[in-house]
Amino acid sequence: MSRSPILPDPEAVRRQLYTVVAALACLIQVGIVVAERLGPAQGMTWEPVVGAILCGGAAAALRHPRVSLQAVDHTILAAATLSVAVQLLQAAGTPSSLPPRLYFIGVFLFIAGFSILPPWWAVLYAVTVYAAFSTLSLTREGLGDLTLLAEMGLIGLLVGHLSIYGRQVSAKRAEARLFQRLALTDTLTGLDNRRAMYDHLHRAFAQVGPGRDLAAVLLDVDHFKSINDHHGHERGDQVLQEVGAALQQGLRPGEHVARWGGEEFLALLRVRDGQEAWAVTERLRLAVRGTRVPGVPPVTASFGVALASRADSVAEWLRRADAELYRAKTSGRDRISLAAPSVPA
């Protein structure tokens, strides 16, 4: 399993993006207010003022970690709904058609509702909003309101369909990714399993070239059967978990480690030559020796190292590593065996 870079918290990323969007929306609303004041009519409607205050308030609230994104979402939806309700009540007292911009704001409510609320609540909310617009539009004379009402209804259906379908697709993709990850992960240690490591080995083997080599490091926890027999399988599992964690922490970017089976692990190292392979493996050996499990004596492991440049296939490469591991165990354990020239004694 490669040592993954530390990824930013998705919630923090969404909060930052949300803050930027809210701030930009505030600036746009302020621009509308200024344009209306400087325009030929030199008038001003209150909707962009409310929008600027709402978006600016959201951007400011998002700066505080204690304010949840869900609270901001629901506050914006409630405020936008209240704004539209006030405008509809004002329009109810006039015989003229509803302003086209009001229909646009109604579409925004559809989008916001399906983005924030659970699917069925979003449907109920959208139906309620559309019923309010329909009630006023059908009391007007002429086809202007009816045309906009029909278009608003079509957009609402499209938004609802895409939202619900999109959630279903996202859920299925997340489930598929979870199953794929489980199929390639050792459940005890959280490392890659044998199947995943084979994929890494075959892809990496094709990249071997001058000045660029690979080392397969096969290691076996020493006297592991004795640990299980004298301290119990629970302690044995803890040993494997600690050894796996120590190995993973000792990897560099682009390298991998997997639980190969039982008490065996396999690391894939990117090295230049046998000297570097030995040095990196020695760090891994010391990292394993540094693991501690309560009630268990210090843990050691034996390491067999083989270079990809000395093998004609992945199978031969692994056979060489296995032979070196056997040599390390039979010559005393807690040591490294590497069939390469210029290796420290």
Side-chain angles (χ1 to χ4, degrees), residues 46-276:
W46 61 271
E47 294 94 336
V49 176
V50 173
I53 295 174
L54 182 62
C55 294
L62 288 166
R63 301 285 295 175
H64 299 279
R66 292 186 178 181
V67 179
S68 69
L69 294 177
Q70 186 178 28
V72 175
D73 282 339
H74 285 83
T75 300
I76 290 178
L77 181 60
T81 303
L82 180 61
S83 173
V84 172
V86 170
Q87 294 179 67
L88 289 176
L89 288 174
Q90 291 176 340
T94 63
S96 58
S97 298
L98 298 179
R101 185 166 63 180
L102 193 55
Y103 287 97
F104 173 78
I105 299 175
V107 172
F108 166 79
L109 293 183
F110 288 162
I111 298 173
F114 279 102
S115 300
I116 296 171
L117 302 174
W120 289 113
W121 282 105
V123 170
L124 179 61
Y125 174 80
V127 169
T128 303
V129 171
Y130 191 67
F133 274 87
S134 300
T135 300
L136 286 181
S137 297
L138 294 175
T139 61
R140 268 52 178 180
E141 296 181 358
L143 298 177
D145 276 355
L146 296 181
T147 301
L148 290 173
L149 182 65
E151 292 175 349
M152 181 182 180
L154 290 175
I155 294 174
L157 290 173
L158 180 61
V159 169
H161 169 73
L162 292 178
S163 175
I164 296 175
Y165 176 74
R167 293 185 187 189
Q168 292 175 344
V169 171
S170 298
K172 289 181 179 178
R173 288 179 177 174
E175 184 180 26
R177 285 194 297 267
L178 174 61
F179 285 142
Q180 183 180 25
R181 186 168 65 251
L182 291 176
L184 300 175
T185 302
D186 175 63
T187 55
L188 177 64
T189 63
L191 300 177
D192 282 349
N193 59 20
R194 196 182 187 103
R195 175 184 174 185
M197 181 55 93
Y198 266 121
D199 292 339
H200 295 314
L201 291 170
H202 283 284
R203 284 198 300 267
F205 190 78
Q207 301 173 3
V208 176
R212 185 174 55 187
D213 209 340
L214 298 165
V217 180
L218 186 61
L219 62 126
D220 183 279
V221 178
D222 295 329
H223 305 294
F224 185 72
K225 183 177 184 301
S226 176
I227 294 174
N228 276 336
D229 291 344
H230 292 88
H231 304 282
H233 289 276
E234 182 178 354
R235 285 287 187 265
D237 288 347
Q238 291 179 6
V239 167
L240 295 178
Q241 291 170 340
E242 291 297 326
V243 169
L247 293 171
Q248 186 172 358
Q249 290 174 3
L251 297 182
R252 299 168 297 183
E255 297 180 337
H256 307 270
V257 64
R259 185 181 178 197
W260 198 240
E263 65 271 25
E264 285 189 343
F265 296 82
L266 180 65
L268 172 62
L269 308 179
R270 296 186 178 275
V271 297
R272 294 184 300 274
D273 50 32
Q275 289 280 1
E276 184 179 5

